[in-house]
Amino acid sequence: MFLSKSLIPILKNIPSEAKIKSHQLMLRTGMIKQSSAGIYSWLPLGFKVMKKIESIVREEQDNIGVQEILMPTIQSSEIWKESGRYNDYGEEMLRIKDRQNREMLYGPTNEELVTEIFRNSIKSYKSLPQLVYHIQWKFRDELRPRFGVMRCREFYMKDAYSFDVDMDEAIYSYNKFFLSYLKTFKRLELSAIPMAADTGPIGGNLSHEFIIIAETGESKIYTDKKIFDVDYSETKISKDSLSSLRNKYDTFYAVTDEKFNKKEFDNKVIEENKLITKGIEVGHIFYFGDKYSKTMNASVDNKGKKEYVKMGSYGVGVSRLVAAIIEAKYDDKIELMKWPINIAPYHCVILPQINKNDKSNLEKSINIYNKLKSKNIDCIIDDTDETLSSKVKKFNLIGIPYQIIIGKNSGQNNFEFGGVGENLSVYNVEKIENIILEELKN
Ligand code: ATP
Ligand code: MG
């Protein structure tokens, strides 16, 4: 792929409407384009990153045995009236009328719709647990959409739902998601803290928010630093193993503003372990028992007894994660970004110095491009006629993890190569290939 032929509208200046670094960077590097307030188009660079995040989120759902489905974005108001949330949800819900004057809405979340699917499909306790997820656009008419895709109105979410015969089984399902979220965020190179949280409009009695530390986050958090040391690598998918993991986390003080209690904080956390900072919510899990199953009559036959199923729901902000990862990784002082290689829009950029009468560097670039491509290494060539130093600067911002420079220091098969923002060394293509493939393996 040539930069000159791609839809990557780089901006020279920082757009004045962008207040936080992720929003600035996403606009500057042409990842997204606003179409109206809180509504964005995803251009190739941004879309590639989001799709890769989506695949990781998907794999980790599949790993705990959740079934993927796809529910529509537009829902009927009927089921929301059944659950009693049609009025409760308030102005965040975008309400629409169709040509028959039927009340429809753009789904802000899917508890009702999935419960309706469940009650029509599952009759016996023998079919439980049922765990399903979908990855779909949501719409919430946020009062103050801001910070780009961090808090927008139309956003991409993975939401999962669990149906179990009793509370004990339901907590087991909840804990599976708890572990899978820790693994998902780890693979995105984020350290997310699970924090006991309020259940808000979803309702219910057990909930954790997954929060990553970032200065520009909207949630103030109070936590015990020790929570970062909890090791979950040995956790098995079994009731005991998962509940002991939950216990380990839940013993540490970790709350957002809403739940903060100074006395408790002082009692539970020694001075040097106190961490008061800000964070971004990237995931949220809930257990809410029979809140929806009762009002919507979703039950199973449990050996002759009618049992309202116990439910939970589990969200990950897939589009918000793109911005959250930038907040965690982008150094705006030196204007340097490095995407984790597994979600980077390209693995490597080739930066040839191009002179008017001499196209040999461009030819070398195409050669390298083809060699790397045959090993499934995805590159982009900056074939514009800018100077090398301005190309490097531009790509330090875009954050492609590796750079190959084809200039006066390169030979027939020796090129300057290095990680973005790092010192360069001279290598041949085979060596470059190995370094990138090695990192992709981890
Ligand atoms: P917030 O407190 O940030 O409004 P929420 O509690 O309303 O979030 P949930 O209903 O739990 O969010 O949704 C699951 C996830 O979807 C959140 O953890 C977040 O990552 C993402 N999300 C929620 N609202 C937005 C939004 N307006 N823009 C982008 N992502 C969002
Ligand atoms: Mg919200």
Side-chain angles (χ1 to χ4, degrees), residues 167-234:
M167 181 165 165
D168 187 50
E169 291 295 323
I171 298 296
Y172 180 32
S173 294
Y174 183 94
N175 290 346
K176 285 182 197 167
F177 283 98
F178 188 93
L179 176 65
S180 95
Y181 276 27
L182 292 170
K183 290 186 174 170
T184 303
F185 298 129
K186 174 87 184 292
R187 283 181 67 187
L188 299 172
E189 292 187 12
L190 295 173
S191 59
I193 320 174
M195 295 187 159
D198 279 335
T199 47
I202 305 255
N205 25 29
L206 172 64
S207 168
H208 286 85
E209 283 177 8
F210 287 76
I211 304 231
I212 62 162
I213 307 271
E215 268 309 306
T216 41
E218 289 185 281
S219 328
K220 190 157 188 198
I221 58 177
Y222 302 81
T223 178
D224 188 332
K225 278 183 204 159
K226 288 271 176 223
I227 200 165
F228 288 107
D229 304 336
V230 178
D231 178 12
Y232 55 82
S233 56
E234 299 295 311

Side-chain angles (χ1 to χ4, degrees), residues 92 140 142 151:
E92 263 195 28
R140 295 182 187 173
E142 299 273 356
R151 179 164 304 282

Side-chain angles (χ1 to χ4, degrees), residues 140 142 149-152 155 157 281-284 317 320:
R140 295 182 187 173
E142 299 273 356
V149 299
M150 190 76 91
R151 179 164 304 282
C152 48
F155 60 97
M157 195 211 279
E281 179 193 322
V282 286
H284 201 166
R320 177 182 285 183

